[in-house]
Amino acid sequence: MQNTKETRGGNQRGGNMTRGAGPRGGRPDDSTPKISITQSLKRLSVYTKKSTGLIILTAIAVLIGTLVTVLTPKVLGNTTTIIFDGVRRATGIDFTQLRLTLLILLGLYLLTFLTSFLQQRFMTVITQDITRRLRRDLKAKLNRLPIDYFDQHQNGELMSIATNDVDNIVSGLQRSLTSIISSIISAIGVFVMMLTISPLLTLVVCLMIPVMLLVTRLVTPKAQKYNGEYFGSLGQLNTQIEESLQGFTVVKSFNGTQNALAKFEHANQSMVTSGWKAVFISGLTMPMMTLVQNIVYVLIAAIGSLSVVGGTMTLGNMQAFLQYSSQFSSPLLQLAQIWGTLLSMLTSINRIFSVLDADEMDETLGDYPNEPASDAKVSFKHVQFGYDDKLLMPDFNMAVEPGQMTAIVGETGAGKTTVINLLERFYDIKGGALLVNGQDIRNISRHDLRAKMAMVLQETWLFSGTIFDNIKYGNETATDEEVYAAAKAAYADDFIQKLPDGYQTILNENADNISQGQRQLLTIARAFIANPEILILDEATSNVDSRTELIVQQAMERLLKHRTSFVIAHRLSTIYDADRILVMDHGNIVESGTHQELLAQNGTYHQLYTSQFATA
């Protein structure tokens, strides 16, 4: 049974419930809204509120470390001056003052190490907390999104957003946040220190600032474009890998290895092309700034040397200024380098918030007319529905009595699965009314509605874990005895007991360490333990052999007893005993009756029957 309760794993897609139900596996949405870096960082800052204390401590550590770094060249310059003046004077070097200065210098270096360690420690805690909460919100959001969102977005793309984009933001924050703070403080502090030594040389150093702004302005648009293409290609690559692994047997059976490799290579090459362009464009800032820095450094050395010779500047101040000029250019180069990281982060933030901002399922309870006196368990009254503007069901009507088994047959695309999609509220009707126990389902929460139902599908869904846990998934409050009883009722206990670890046998990712028939029996056991009012069977025996089909049918007969049920069937031999068989075509019921009644009508059902059982 697929999970039909949003509180347990969210709104599941129900295996293949949506097949034929509109666009599946479409390309990712390329219309991601673009927002500025300021807006992006503002939205991201919501996830840092719980770490405000640590951020303040990080800022204090950065401030102290930066101030120490700014003071160090000045103290080192004083050391040079003490030695140089002592050599020139007859009295010699003042070793007492020199030792004091060196001790101060050692203390500054130790303080630099300590503040750097604390910065890294605090930032690791902050960024990992952001990672946890971002992924938590993304997972919760995906559980609240409507089915059609997943019809239009590839699984690989969504997985890439939840993993690669979150990691990109966190690693970017880890690298850039402290660097931005220290760079700004360092640039201001160094600028002040340079002014105290030589305003003229300070003016020469400041020539780097307009160059950096110009380069940034030229680089930003292209970098944003290629970053977006890169992460989009990464999502496509994930999708390609996921599809190839899931369909590995089919790929091998149809000799599709080369075709799969060609598709992978195309996606891989697309990612590489956009990736190197993004990195190259973003990286242009650094070499251009380095070139300007070297030119400025030569000018400072030339002008400073003349000042020392002319006696307007001491040798120690000259040495200190050269170090300060390097320190001033270093934060500018860091900011230029960080800019590329910020652009990459911006792309990831846009992609993440495009999911977080997507329209959710409307959980507001409606105020539609109910029919408490209705005797029908399920009623479709003049229901209208379509996946696009075109109506698939212009006027659908059906009433199912309590305990009645209703089979639905018809050609592919006739609307059989759509009936189930509407009953489970995977999609909402566009007109008319759909009632369960006399209540319009739009007046019932999806959780409460799906708690009344269980599904056994053609393609079984079992998660990685023990057989015991997979059965208990249908009812998390069930006791151990109830789990064992459900397995026995589904005729699954016999094969489970023969497994080496019994109920504690671990199923792998696709549960292919047991047979298809055994997987189906486990889903039936899961439906048993859920004890639903309404049971939905979608070709539950079509993928098993004839002998296993008999066992599965016996298990389903037990499950169907005294329950209202809907059975979607292509193999008509499985529905001979149905209380009513509905024949659908283009969203409408064209025939209705028992098996014998429909054969006697010599209509569409008769044609379906003879096409399956006619003998030569």
Side-chain angles (χ1 to χ4, degrees):
M1 183 197 75
Q2 305 295 354
N3 177 30
T4 60
K5 300 175 178 62
E6 291 173 358
T7 56
R8 290 185 278 138
N11 182 12
Q12 298 291 337
R13 299 176 66 181
N16 66 342
M17 277 301 300
T18 53
R19 68 179 187 276
R24 287 297 306 268
R27 294 183 61 83
D29 187 4
D30 294 327
S31 60
T32 303
K34 300 296 186 293
I35 55 178
S36 68
I37 289 183
T38 303
Q39 292 173 312
S40 299
L41 296 179
K42 184 177 180 181
R43 296 200 66 177
L44 191 63
S45 66
V46 174
Y47 289 88
T48 65
K49 286 184 177 179
K50 289 188 177 180
S51 303
T52 302
L54 281 178
I55 292 175
I56 293 173
L57 289 175
T58 303
I60 292 172
V62 171
L63 176 62
I64 294 173
T66 304
L67 292 177
V68 170
T69 304
V70 169
L71 289 173
T72 300
K74 185 69 174 177
V75 176
L76 189 59
N78 290 339
T79 304
T80 303
T81 301
I82 291 171
I83 296 172
F84 183 73
D85 290 345
V87 171
R88 290 198 306 173
R89 292 197 301 264
T91 55
I93 300 173
D94 187 348
F95 285 100
T96 301
Q97 187 178 6
L98 180 61
R99 280 195 297 269
L100 178 61
T101 305
L102 289 175
L103 285 173
I104 294 173
L105 192 62
L106 177 62
L108 292 175
Y109 283 136
L110 289 175
L111 193 55
T112 300
F113 164 76
L114 179 61
T115 54
S116 177
F117 171 79
L118 291 176
Q119 291 172 38
Q120 293 300 318
R121 178 70 177 85
F122 293 153
M123 280 307 302
T124 300
V125 175
I126 293 168
T127 53
Q128 290 306 312
D129 184 62
I130 292 173
T131 302
R132 178 184 63 82
R133 286 190 283 121
L134 264 177
R135 288 199 175 123
R136 177 200 63 194
D137 287 356
L138 275 171
K139 172 61 177 173
K141 179 69 178 188
L142 291 174
N143 289 341
R144 297 193 300 268
L145 290 173
I147 294 294
D148 57 6
Y149 184 88
F150 298 97
D151 290 340
Q152 299 166 16
H153 294 79
Q154 296 173 334
N155 290 342
E157 176 73 6
L158 296 175
M159 290 171 62
S160 180
I161 290 173
T163 54
N164 299 320
D165 285 291
V166 172
D167 282 342
N168 185 49
I169 290 175
V170 171
S171 61
L173 284 174
Q174 182 89 38
R175 294 195 305 266
S176 62
L177 188 57
T178 55
S179 297
I180 291 173
I181 298 173
S182 63
S183 295
I184 294 173
I185 296 173
S186 179
I188 295 172
V190 170
F191 178 76
V192 172
M193 296 301 292
M194 287 192 302
L195 277 177
T196 62
I197 297 174
S198 173
L200 175 62
L201 293 179
T202 304
L203 181 62
V204 175
V205 172
C206 289
L207 291 175
M208 289 186 289
I209 297 176
V211 175
M212 184 188 76
L213 295 176
L214 178 62
V215 171
T216 300
R217 184 177 180 85
L218 294 174
V219 163
T220 299
K222 287 289 185 182
Q224 282 184 289
K225 174 187 174 184
Y226 291 127
N227 274 314
E229 292 179 0
Y230 171 78
F231 283 104
S233 299
L234 183 57
Q236 289 290 315
L237 188 68
N238 285 343
T239 299
Q240 171 63 26
I241 294 172
E242 181 191 18
E243 289 177 350
S244 297
L245 290 177
Q246 287 184 343
F248 181 79
T249 304
V250 176
V251 171
K252 286 292 186 182
S253 299
F254 286 89
N255 294 321
T257 303
Q258 293 302 319
N259 185 39
L261 287 173
K263 289 182 177 179
F264 173 84
E265 185 59 32
H266 175 75
N268 195 24
Q269 186 58 47
S270 176
M271 189 182 78
V272 170
T273 301
S274 57
W276 81 257
K277 286 181 179 179
V279 173
F280 175 75
I281 295 295
S282 299
L284 282 177
T285 310
M286 193 72 173
M288 294 181 72
M289 288 299 299
T290 302
L291 175 63
V292 175
Q293 176 195 9
N294 291 334
I295 294 174
V296 170
Y297 194 86
V298 171
L299 290 175
I300 292 171
I303 298 172
S305 297
L306 293 175
S307 299
V308 172
V309 172
T312 58
M313 181 183 293
T314 65
L315 181 61
N317 280 344
M318 174 61 186
Q319 178 194 356
F321 195 93
L322 287 173
Q323 283 190 284
Y324 279 132
S325 68
S326 297
Q327 286 190 0
F328 185 75
S329 61
S330 179
L332 294 182
L333 290 173
Q334 277 189 332
L335 288 173
Q337 194 171 22
I338 290 168
W339 188 251
T341 302
L342 287 176
L343 294 178
S344 178
M345 282 176 55
L346 173 63
T347 302
S348 292
I349 292 171
N350 281 339
R351 285 162 55 82
I352 288 173
F353 281 105
S354 70
V355 177
L356 293 177
D357 292 341
D359 292 334
E360 300 180 4
M361 289 182 292
D362 185 6
E363 296 291 354
T364 305
L365 297 182
D367 188 21
Y368 296 92
N370 293 323
E371 296 182 12
S374 174
D375 294 330
K377 185 71 174 181
V378 177
S379 296
F380 287 76
K381 294 194 171 185
H382 305 290
V383 167
Q384 295 179 338
F385 177 74
Y387 293 105
D388 299 311
D389 294 335
K390 184 179 179 180
L391 288 179
L392 174 64
M393 289 182 171
D395 186 20
F396 185 80
N397 295 275
M398 177 178 65
V400 178
E401 301 301 321
Q404 191 176 55
M405 175 183 173
T406 302
I408 306 175
V409 301
E411 296 181 353
T412 300
K416 303 183 296 298
T417 301
T418 300
V419 172
I420 306 306
N421 285 341
L422 297 179
L423 183 59
E424 285 268 10
R425 276 198 78 186
F426 290 151
Y427 297 90
D428 278 324
I429 62 177
K430 298 184 182 297
L434 202 172
L435 309 174
V436 173
N437 296 328
Q439 280 188 293
D440 192 301
I441 63 172
R442 292 167 293 183
N443 299 337
I444 312 171
S445 71
R446 287 180 174 85
H447 172 268
D448 291 341
L449 174 67
R450 293 169 188 169
K452 303 176 187 294
M453 304 179 189
M455 299 169 63
V456 179
L457 303 178
Q458 177 181 359
E459 296 181 7
T460 57
W461 180 82
L462 297 169
F463 57 83
S464 299
T466 66
I467 287 178
F468 183 92
D469 290 338
N470 269 277
I471 296 175
K472 191 175 181 179
Y473 189 75
N475 180 4
E476 298 292 350
T477 62
T479 64
D480 292 359
E481 289 72 21
E482 288 173 331
V483 173
Y484 301 140
K488 290 176 181 178
Y491 296 99
D493 181 73
D494 184 56
F495 87 82
I496 295 173
Q497 295 286 6
K498 293 177 181 179
L499 295 173
D501 297 317
Y503 283 85
Q504 297 307 312
T505 299
I506 301 293
L507 301 181
N508 59 24
E509 183 179 3
N510 296 316
D512 52 15
N513 52 336
I514 59 175
S515 71
Q516 173 64 35
Q518 290 170 338
R519 294 199 293 270
Q520 195 64 279
L521 292 177
L522 291 182
T523 63
I524 294 173
R526 184 193 294 168
F528 262 115
I529 205 167
N531 193 25
E533 296 178 25
I534 300 172
L535 184 65
I536 298 167
L537 305 178
D538 186 356
E539 282 298 318
T541 63
S542 62
N543 288 336
V544 297
D545 60 83
S546 299
R547 182 177 179 278
T548 305
E549 180 181 358
L550 292 175
I551 300 175
V552 173
Q553 283 184 337
Q554 289 174 359
M556 288 196 300
E557 285 176 6
R558 283 189 178 182
L559 184 60
L560 291 169
K561 195 172 183 180
H562 306 306
R563 287 190 175 94
T564 305
S565 59
F566 294 85
V567 180
I568 296 177
H570 289 288
R571 295 164 66 172
L572 302 184
S573 60
T574 62
I575 58 169
Y576 288 166
D577 297 330
D579 297 303
R580 187 163 58 140
I581 299 173
L582 306 178
V583 183
M584 293 191 64
D585 184 39
H586 294 91
N588 293 307
I589 298 174
V590 294
E591 292 179 12
S592 175
T594 65
H595 172 69
Q596 294 299 331
E597 290 172 348
L598 291 175
L599 286 179
Q601 291 180 22
N602 200 27
T604 303
Y605 183 82
H606 184 271
Q607 293 176 5
L608 291 172
Y609 178 81
T610 54
S611 67
Q612 290 188 19
F613 299 101
T615 57

